[in-house]
Amino acid sequence: AGVFAASAAPGGGVRFPAPLVASALQLRDGVTCFFVLTPAWLRDGDRAVGQRFFGHYPLGQFRFHDRRVAFRTAAGDVRHSKVLESGTKLVAAYRLDGRVEMAVDGAPFEAGAKPRAGASPAPVFSASGYVTLGGCPPHDAFLGDVHEVMVFGTVLADAAARHVAEVLATKHGVAIGALPPTASRFGLPTSHATGAAAAPSPPAARGP
């Protein structure tokens, strides 16, 4: 039998010479996931190695693609808009609720860009029966440090997700900015204290 060894990394992370496998575990839609990561080698292109850090194979990969936080679907990789730098620690959040939403460093969630025009990139997980951390076999392990992983078995509201990101950022020394006023997932202003959408303003009175 082989021996698995994960080495300690600067800043309290773990580096994986090979994927860590959790057997008899199957991810699903309707979850919110947080990762504190320091990617060591971000590259462009579909064949860049060392970009996958969690999930199932081949579908349901939490990964980087073209230097962005991404998620692998049957339609291709759904990507966040923010371009990242190698060696920079970040808090990545995923909210899966019939679609893929991603956030970086406590910013508001955004729906990932569609891989192809007309595609419907719903979050689907291969029924592999196991989840990998630090990569996905048979390919190379994740090139970087994994500092913390949190998986919630529910879809968190904006305010709750922001709170989790703030806690993780404070714990791991990641700088996050103030939250700007944004529209909620349902197109209404969001109360970030409660995560609930504010009531819409009444329509203006019309003259005769």
Side-chain angles (χ1 to χ4, degrees):
V3 176
F4 172 82
S7 61
V14 176
R15 292 176 180 169
F16 294 87
L20 179 64
V21 178
S23 60
L25 184 61
Q26 181 70 37
L27 296 174
R28 57 172 174 79
D29 193 12
V31 298
T32 311
C33 305
F34 297 84
F35 305 89
V36 184
L37 308 160
T38 304
W41 197 77
L42 294 175
R43 291 295 183 271
D44 296 331
D46 294 336
R47 298 184 179 276
V49 300
Q51 308 299 293
R52 295 179 290 273
F53 51 83
F54 187 70
H56 292 283
Y57 184 86
L59 301 181
Q61 298 177 32
F62 297 79
R63 56 175 294 131
F64 295 102
H65 190 142
D66 291 343
R67 306 171 192 260
R68 297 168 170 86
V69 171
F71 183 85
R72 174 64 54 84
T73 74
D77 286 356
V78 181
R79 291 169 291 177
H80 192 269
S81 63
K82 184 175 181 179
V83 178
L84 306 169
E85 296 291 336
S86 299
T88 300
K89 188 185 296 183
L90 69 141
V91 178
Y94 292 78
R95 187 163 61 185
L96 309 179
D97 185 19
R99 62 175 179 167
V100 180
E101 294 180 301
M102 294 167 284
V104 175
D105 294 343
F109 281 98
E110 64 177 62
K114 291 183 178 181
R116 295 192 299 270
S120 178
V124 176
F125 296 91
S126 295
S128 60
Y130 61 87
V131 173
T132 59
L133 175 64
C136 293
H139 301 281
D140 295 342
F142 172 59
L143 297 177
D145 304 332
V146 179
H147 304 279
E148 188 162 349
V149 176
M150 298 183 72
V151 178
F152 293 84
T154 188
V155 178
L156 296 184
D158 292 341
R162 167 72 181 191
H163 176 69
V164 174
E166 288 176 340
V167 170
L168 291 174
T170 300
K171 178 179 178 181
H172 294 281
V174 178
I176 60 176
L179 193 63
T182 60
S184 75
R185 305 170 65 197
F186 306 101
L188 299 175
T190 300
S191 169
H192 293 287
T194 63
S201 300
R206 296 183 180 181

